Amino acid sequence: MSEYSVVTDGEGNALAAVAQTMYDPALWGLEVDIRDSNDKLNLTYTLIHEYAHLLTLGPDQVMPSVAVFNNPDDDDIYYQEVSACPDYFPGEGCSRTDSYINAFFNEFWPTSMKNGRTST
């Protein structure tokens, strides 16, 4: 994680989120909504959830797709990248064969999704 931001979108909306930074697809940032952070139990649950994204989507687990990163609205490029990935493609790039997300995908996703390598 290379960035941490305290933000707000008003009460009762998103509590926290992670995303690739705007300048490097291999670096990730965490945003936490200050207006929703008073509920310590929900904040703890949400931060554990967001940490799981960092753990499973970092560059040591998923090879970032520079093409998708540089062209986020280009469906043709996205589907070319999906087609070129022999393993699970979560959206940010092709998961490594030995990655946590690929192991989870192979264990728990239905066979119908595996055949089409449908992403989330």
Side-chain angles (χ1 to χ4, degrees):
M1 186 174 79
S2 65
E3 295 179 348
Y4 173 75
S5 302
V6 176
V7 298
T8 191
D9 57 7
E11 275 187 51
N13 294 308
L15 175 52
V18 295
Q20 292 167 307
T21 64
M22 295 184 69
Y23 52 88
D24 186 338
L27 300 176
W28 287 73
L30 169 68
E31 295 180 346
V32 177
D33 190 328
I34 190 73
R35 298 225 15 223
D36 291 326
S37 64
N38 288 334
D39 181 345
K40 301 303 181 205
L41 182 61
N42 198 26
L43 176 62
T44 301
Y45 170 80
T46 301
L47 291 176
I48 290 169
H49 173 91
E50 297 306 327
Y51 177 74
H53 286 304
L54 294 172
L55 181 69
T56 61
L57 297 174
D60 61 328
Q61 298 288 309
V62 174
M63 179 63 71
S65 169
V66 175
V68 170
F69 182 78
N70 289 333
N71 303 281
D73 298 321
D74 191 322
D75 289 341
D76 291 334
I77 289 175
Y78 178 84
Y79 289 114
Q80 286 172 2
E81 292 291 292
V82 170
S83 295
C85 179
D87 295 305
Y88 178 61
F89 191 92
E92 294 79 9
C94 187
S95 64
R96 299 178 189 276
T97 301
D98 62 347
S99 67
Y100 300 131
I101 193 78
N102 197 54
F104 187 88
F105 175 77
N106 286 326
E107 181 69 23
F108 297 107
W109 260 276
T111 302
S112 61
M113 290 184 72
K114 290 180 189 176
N115 292 338
R117 293 194 304 270
T118 304
S119 65
T120 58

